[in-house]
Amino acid sequence: LPSFHSLASQWQQNKIFINGSQVVIDSEGKFESIQNLSDGDNNFTVKAQDDAGNFTEIARRVVYQP
């Protein structure tokens, strides 16, 4: 299956969610996620949330054309 691989770093205290699923952040504040792609438009929402409940959310579209 085609996939989209993201790798980034965040503050360790934050929580990261991609399309509603929490992503594990390692001890260095890095996280990684692989998302399967379907033909055409693939929509992703990434949310970072701190312990106080404050959050930032972005939406991205990845177009896959085999």
Side-chain angles (χ1 to χ4, degrees):
L1 280 175
S3 62
F4 175 72
H5 180 230
S6 60
L7 175 65
S9 61
Q10 273 292 323
W11 295 104
Q12 291 170 290
Q13 299 89 330
N14 287 351
K15 295 177 183 172
I16 302 294
F17 300 87
I18 298 179
N19 288 351
S21 296
Q22 188 168 356
V23 178
V24 175
I25 301 173
D26 71 17
S27 61
E28 295 179 358
K30 297 177 183 175
F31 68 91
E32 182 174 9
S33 177
I34 298 174
Q35 303 291 321
N36 292 328
L37 298 176
S38 300
D39 291 354
D41 291 352
N42 295 267
N43 296 303
F44 297 96
T45 302
V46 181
K47 178 179 176 180
Q49 182 175 340
D50 66 15
D51 288 338
N54 303 307
F55 68 91
T56 299
E57 188 171 282
I58 61 169
R60 294 292 185 260
R61 179 178 61 131
V62 176
V63 179
Y64 174 67
Q65 296 177 338

